């Protein structure tokens, strides 16, 4: 039976977040600009989040950066649990399936932005890298710089609308992302290549599962790419690509309710049995067994979120 679709507009400061999704699974959040505000950045409070949050599972096509100032709560993201504490940094990259829980006492700033918001290529890459760490505590040495960058972003975002204010807000976000960049202190050679590889994998993993494609696309030999990826992650490019495929498969099985065969098609496998074999090898479970773990949860969400 075809799943029901629900659509609802949630107004922000002139920017509307449109919620679309299957009520039996995950709700997809997308940006739509409306009104006079045309900027790709929006600052919200956790109080605003609580007012809109129904406790369901969500997935967005934009980035969310949270800076917790006080209180405590929990965040579920891509099948892991994270504690929110004063000083916590939260980074949700586009596509991460997440659920905010027990955030009644949490206060702080949420920065919602599109991938094009940072003004430099390095900062755009940094926003992708933030997704490697969902929740973390910055070092005491970094914290003053992060606090100053956050305060400047809050100040700029509150200025009267103008071309200067929009550009200044984007610059302030760029500074904050640069200060939060998890690879800033890593001086190992080859990091620019690894970042380019990550971006290429995120773009092409559904259609290209072979490391040779990425080496050719990036203009490097397979040996150079392998050496760089192993130095950055400890795994081969092929294993890195497989891990990304497995994560997406878990999302599709658990939250979208796709069959193993449908997952195989969505992820570019010509033979569904090859997909099932890879999934079982990497996870120790068949796709169906993994999916059955989440069936009661999906049913519960359907009861609580259906119109």
């Amino acid at each position: 039976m075809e799943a029901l679709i629900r659509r609802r507009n949630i107004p922000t400061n002139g920017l509307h977040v449109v919620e679309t999704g299957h009520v039996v699974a995950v709700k997809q959040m997308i940006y739509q600009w409306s009104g006079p505000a045309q900027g790709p950045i929006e600052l919200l409070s956790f109080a605003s989040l609580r007012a809109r949050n129904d406790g369901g599972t969500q997935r967005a096509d934009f980035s969310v950066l949270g800076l917790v100032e006080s209180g405590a709560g929990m965040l579920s993201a891509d099948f892991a649990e994270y504690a929110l504490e004063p000083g916590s940094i939260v980074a949700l990259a586009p596509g991460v399936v997440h659920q905010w829980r027990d955030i009644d006492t949490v206060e702080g700033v949420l920065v919602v932005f599109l991938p094009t918001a940072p003004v430099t290529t390095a900062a755009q890459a940094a926003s992708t890298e933030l997704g490697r760490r969902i929740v973390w505590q910055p070092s005491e040495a970094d914290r003053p710089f992060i606090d100053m960058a956050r305060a400047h972003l809050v100040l700029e975002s509150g200025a009267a609308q103008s071309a200067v204010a929009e550009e200044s807000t984007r610059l302030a976000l760029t500074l904050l992302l640069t200060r939060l960049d998890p690879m800033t202190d890593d001086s190992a050679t080859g990091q620019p290549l690894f970042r380019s590889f990550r971006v290429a994998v995120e773009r092409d993993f559904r259609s290209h599962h072979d490391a040779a494609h990425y080496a050719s696309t990036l203009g490097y030999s397979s040996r150079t790419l392998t050496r760089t990826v192993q130095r950055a992650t400890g795994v081969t490019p092929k294993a890195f690509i497989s891990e990304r495929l497995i994560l997406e498969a878990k999302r599709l099985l658990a939250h979208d309710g796709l069959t193993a065969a449908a997952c195989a098609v969505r992820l570019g496998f010509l033979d569904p049995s090859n997909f099932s074999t890879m999934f079982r090898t990497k996870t120790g479970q068949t796709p169906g067994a993994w999916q059955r773990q989440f069936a009661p949860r999906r049913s519960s969400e359907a009861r609580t979120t259906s119109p």
Side-chain angles (χ1 to χ4, degrees):
M1 183 172 65
E2 185 173 346
L4 296 174
I5 302 295
R6 185 177 66 165
R7 181 180 295 270
R8 178 161 60 90
N9 286 343
I10 306 175
T12 60
N13 297 334
L15 189 63
H16 286 212
V17 179
V18 178
E19 178 184 307
T20 67
H22 301 285
V23 296
V24 297
V26 62
K27 290 173 293 183
Q28 180 70 37
M29 309 292 288
I30 64 173
Y31 262 130
Q32 282 189 348
W33 290 333
S34 63
Q38 295 293 316
I41 305 168
E42 185 76 15
L43 265 65
L44 304 170
S45 66
F46 274 89
S48 297
L49 174 63
R50 284 193 291 274
R52 300 170 183 141
N53 182 45
D54 63 1
T57 305
Q58 305 171 353
R59 175 169 49 206
D61 69 345
F62 48 84
S63 297
V64 178
L65 181 62
L67 300 103
V68 178
E69 297 172 0
S70 62
M74 293 294 298
L75 174 70
S76 300
D78 278 340
F79 315 105
E81 300 290 322
Y82 300 91
L84 305 179
E85 303 171 339
S88 292
I89 306 295
V90 181
L92 296 171
V96 173
V97 177
H98 60 279
Q99 180 184 34
W100 300 95
R101 297 190 289 106
D102 302 325
I103 58 171
D104 291 347
T105 64
V106 177
E107 302 296 342
V109 175
L110 288 161
V111 187
V112 182
F113 61 96
L114 297 177
T116 55
V119 298
T120 67
T121 301
Q124 290 174 1
S127 66
T128 300
E129 296 297 335
L130 291 177
R132 297 171 59 196
R133 302 184 296 181
I134 301 294
V135 177
W136 76 98
Q137 288 280 349
S139 69
E140 290 303 317
D142 290 339
R143 196 177 295 278
F145 297 98
I146 293 172
D147 289 343
M148 185 64 70
R150 174 182 57 185
H152 188 61
L153 175 59
V154 171
L155 179 64
E156 292 288 0
S157 68
Q161 279 190 320
S162 68
V164 171
E166 180 184 337
E167 188 69 11
S168 297
T169 302
R170 295 178 66 189
L171 286 166
L173 173 63
T174 300
L175 174 59
L176 178 59
L177 290 172
T178 302
R179 283 296 178 186
L180 290 173
D181 186 355
M183 299 180 75
T184 297
D185 297 327
D186 191 340
S187 59
T189 59
Q191 291 299 344
L193 174 54
F194 174 63
R195 286 188 145 159
S196 297
F197 172 70
R198 276 180 57 88
V199 171
V201 169
E202 195 62 30
R203 182 188 64 233
D204 296 343
F205 74 91
R206 296 175 184 84
S207 55
H208 292 282
H209 305 165
D210 56 308
H213 162 80
Y214 299 96
S216 175
T217 298
L218 298 173
Y220 288 85
S221 68
S222 295
R223 179 176 296 182
T224 298
L225 180 62
T226 297
R227 185 168 56 248
T228 298
V229 174
Q230 285 184 318
R231 180 163 54 241
T233 66
V235 301
T236 66
K238 178 64 174 177
F240 186 94
I241 298 164
S242 295
E243 289 175 3
R244 183 63 185 90
L245 284 165
I246 290 297
L247 173 58
E248 198 67 21
K250 288 179 176 179
R251 292 171 175 172
L252 295 172
L253 290 165
H255 301 298
D256 293 80
L258 268 62
T259 64
C263 273
V265 172
R266 185 78 65 88
L267 297 177
F269 287 84
L270 298 179
D271 186 347
S273 65
N274 289 341
F275 164 73
S276 296
T277 297
M278 184 195 72
F279 192 92
R280 185 171 61 251
T281 300
K282 294 292 185 179
T283 67
Q285 294 179 285
T286 65
W290 170 269
Q291 188 176 60
R292 284 191 291 273
Q293 295 180 44
F294 294 87
R297 184 181 305 178
R298 291 200 308 275
S299 297
S300 176
E301 289 181 4
R303 288 194 297 272
T304 59
T305 63
S306 57

